[in-house]
Amino acid sequence: MDDCLFCKIVKKEIPAQIVYEDDKIMAFKDINPAAPVHILLIPKKHIPDLTALEPVDAEVIGHLHLVAKQIAEEQGVAESGFRLLNNCKEDGGQVIYHLHFHLIGGRKLTHLC
Ligand code: AMP
Ligand code: ZN
């Protein structure tokens, strides 16, 4: 989508610190990290939020989780643990409407909410 920030990162129109990329997904460092490790994983396809997911997207979302595991290992948080989370729409605190998952770790996280 033309006016979507993360689509612009996918098209390399906006720079990002990319840590993983293939034909289906991309992972890059969050610009405002909440913890020592804070990476965003996104499908390259513009899916606005989790409620817009369709059965055809199942494979890419499964793949994204396997890559999240790989990135957690590379970032050194697979042993200590981490959080993978999606903020969905207004009450979920979503700001950018291109589906993304936060991989957060490197410190002890407090409980949800
Ligand atoms: P959310 O609230 O789940 O929509 O999270 C959006 C996230 O995108 C926030 O953690 C922001 O810090 C992050 N963010 C915003 N702009 C950029 C950018 N240009 N590069 C990397 N991360 C970004
Ligand atoms: Zn987008």
Side-chain angles (χ1 to χ4, degrees):
M1 229 175 74
D2 285 352
D3 60 349
C4 169
L5 180 70
F6 287 176
C7 282
K8 286 181 178 161
I9 288 177
V10 168
K11 288 184 274 182
K12 311 271 169 74
E13 292 171 6
I14 287 177
Q17 286 185 269
I18 297 166
V19 299
Y20 179 90
E21 180 175 14
D22 63 28
D23 58 330
K24 297 270 186 273
I25 68 169
M26 187 182 260
F28 50 89
K29 294 192 177 176
D30 195 291
I31 205 166
N32 185 21
V37 174
H38 190 167
I39 306 233
L40 301 176
L41 292 101
I42 68 168
K44 286 191 166 178
K45 175 184 173 186
H46 181 84
I47 301 169
D49 62 72
L50 201 71
T51 69
L53 265 186
E54 293 174 358
V56 70
D57 303 315
E59 195 175 327
V60 68
I61 297 305
H63 172 56
L64 184 148
H65 281 72
L66 286 170
V67 171
K69 169 189 148 177
Q70 179 188 318
I71 291 172
E73 287 164 0
E74 289 165 3
Q75 297 286 327
V77 296
E79 287 285 317
S80 52
F82 58 93
R83 189 169 290 159
L84 186 69
L85 71 91
N86 167 253
N87 297 323
C88 185
K89 294 186 172 173
E90 194 175 347
D91 280 1
Q94 185 172 4
V95 173
I96 308 227
Y97 278 75
H98 180 128
L99 180 64
H100 55 279
F101 295 84
H102 300 252
L103 193 165
I104 302 169
R107 68 168 170 82
K108 181 92 176 154
L109 301 169
T110 54
H111 198 267
L112 288 176
C113 309

